[in-house]
Amino acid sequence: MQLVELTKKAYEKLIWTWKPGSEKESGDAIVKNLLLHWFPNKVTKGSLSWSYSFYLGTISFVLFMILVGTGLVLMFLYVPSVERAYSSVKDIEYVVSFGWLLRAMHRIAAHLMVAIVFLHMVRVFLTGAYKNGGAVGSNRPLNWIIGLSLLVVTLLLSFTGYLLPWDQLAYWAITVGTNIAGSAPLVGESIRNFLLGGTTIDQNALIRFYVLHVFFLPLIVVFLFSWHMWRVRKDGGLAVVDREALNQKPESIAPVKSKTYSLLGITNGTTVHVQNRMIDEERNSVPSTPHLVRRVWLVTLITFLVVVALSFVFRAPLEAPANPSVTPNPAKAPWYFLWLQEIVTITTIQIGSFTVNGAFIGGILLPGLLMVLAIWWPYRDRSGIESVGVWFAPERRRQNWVFIGICLLIILFTIIGTFLRGPYWKFYWPWETWPTMPVKF
Ligand code: HEM
């Protein structure tokens, strides 16, 4: 008997979860704890649903925190100078205890963050969550635009980190990337010079990318993320809450004795019944602590474990030291820009003595147009309130197909650029071997 009691106690200790005794205790937990201040007092059951949000926004933030954690330690070991950057990364990889794990985790989290933020955007679009519902003061289109800014900053964070190891991969990926930026008419050259701090990739470029990478861009993410979350609260919670309110049948609510209804113009002999579509707190909402907090914690734990596990499988690469006189063939931009590099190639066409400027079309014009389209979209989407916060709403079917089409094209071009392009950007199937290229000095 005692053994059973002991086992029960041990089990309870092991799976300890805080169970508030009352709603007041749940609310107090949020008031008393700084970290829990993020959470509202209560959340609707729909917002907790795994299949609505897939917690992709939460995963994006956890990845960012992993990047900050591992990045801070890496800062003690990395030296941002052209002479020492490569050897300091080599030391981290081969000499420092668990340095390889630190580097691999930082790298994996960075790649995953780009992919997950993209997927989060896709989910927001397909659930029509950039649209306002019934809540007063709601401005979801603004939060969509804040999200787009977060996507751009995420890409820049990853891009600036790419150069830091100062190996061949880093050097040439940044060469391709900044050359694309430099192809804009009139201002292109100035933008490239501004990014690099000169005309070549050397110490000036390294220190610029370093300061942006470890200070300014993370600061911007923290600021934008705080604004993003504050807006979710101001918008009346996740868009699915509007859906829940809409699904709720209007109910007659008996008059509250302590209230005066004289303004409703009640005549003698009638009773007061107010038609209400508000979320019924008692039935549809649960306290954030422990319900939401527990889920966020679980997502945090799983994300962390996945990053660690992947780090054991995929070690961070380190090629030969950067050498401006040895050009790899093909020289590829970072993978998330390869769809653009692919479009640059397709649109660079020679017509007689005239060359169509593909770098401008693929590198500047197209991404610029896509960004303008994305910002404008919530304002031109005139679908009804029934399509807010619901996956694949019939009324938004055509919009969703256009969006899915664009995303699939981006993914297809990324796959082609990553796996199927060989020397001179020629197309090779995975089973075809690339010809040996003479090293170009
Ligand atoms: C670093 C990048 C980002 C982070 C950390 C982030 C974080 C979050 C979190 C935690 C939520 C709460 C719901 C959820 O977990 O899905 C959320 C909601 C939202 N996010 Fe993001 N987000 C990011 C980027 C984006 C992007 C790229 C967009 C769109 C372009 C976007 C638009 C929205 C919108 C509109 C909501 C409200 C969704 C709803 O009401 O259902 N976010 N975000």
Side-chain angles (χ1 to χ4, degrees), residues 109-341:
H111 288 317
L112 280 183
M113 186 169 165
V114 172
I116 299 286
V117 170
F118 177 77
L119 289 179
H120 171 59
M121 179 184 71
V122 172
R123 137 16 221 160
V124 167
F125 191 96
L126 297 181
T127 52
Y130 55 68
K131 287 165 62 64
N132 287 330
V136 181
S138 170
N139 191 355
R140 290 217 180 90
L142 173 62
N143 212 14
W144 167 261
I145 294 172
I146 298 171
L148 287 174
S149 319
L150 274 167
L151 176 67
V152 172
V153 180
T154 304
L155 290 174
L156 287 178
L157 250 179
S158 188
F159 185 65
T160 47
Y162 229 87
L163 182 66
L164 304 186
W166 206 252
D167 62 351
Q168 277 292 73
L169 184 72
Y171 185 89
W172 291 100
I174 300 302
T175 305
V176 175
T178 49
N179 278 351
I180 290 179
S183 64
L186 305 175
V187 288
E189 217 29 58
S190 317
I191 293 176
R192 189 171 184 276
N193 287 355
F194 175 74
L195 281 176
L196 299 182
T199 49
T200 50
I201 299 180
D202 54 23
Q203 183 59 54
N204 285 350
L206 182 59
I207 204 72
R208 272 178 198 216
F209 275 48
Y210 178 72
V211 174
L212 282 172
H213 186 74
V214 303
F215 184 70
F216 283 106
L217 294 171
L219 203 67
I220 295 174
V221 170
V222 169
F223 167 72
L224 287 176
F225 175 70
S226 312
W227 193 11
H228 198 52
M229 288 299 94
W230 181 73
R231 278 261 39 114
V232 171
R233 296 281 290 272
K234 287 273 149 195
D235 293 340
L238 296 188
V240 70
V241 176
D242 291 304
R243 181 75 204 169
E244 286 172 294
L246 208 64
N247 281 347
Q248 191 154 312
K249 285 199 182 68
E251 285 177 9
S252 294
I253 293 181
V256 180
K257 285 212 177 83
S258 58
K259 284 195 178 163
T260 308
Y261 289 91
S262 57
L263 285 178
L264 294 175
I266 306 298
T267 51
N268 270 347
T270 58
T271 55
V272 183
H273 275 87
V274 183
Q275 290 281 298
N276 178 47
R277 260 193 195 277
M278 294 291 286
I279 287 281
D280 180 344
E281 284 248 324
E282 284 301 314
R283 250 184 298 157
N284 289 314
S285 302
V286 286
S288 293
T289 48
H291 298 276
L292 177 58
V293 174
R294 203 187 283 162
R295 283 170 172 80
V296 168
W297 185 231
L298 185 66
V299 168
T300 307
L301 218 64
I302 293 176
T303 309
F304 185 79
L305 289 179
V306 168
V307 169
V308 173
L310 287 177
S311 306
F312 275 90
V313 183
F314 303 104
R315 296 280 289 265
L318 187 63
E319 295 191 354
N323 186 347
S325 52
V326 178
T327 319
N329 189 357
K332 293 190 179 185
W335 65 267
Y336 39 83
F337 287 146
L338 283 181
W339 61 286
L340 291 175
Q341 201 175 343

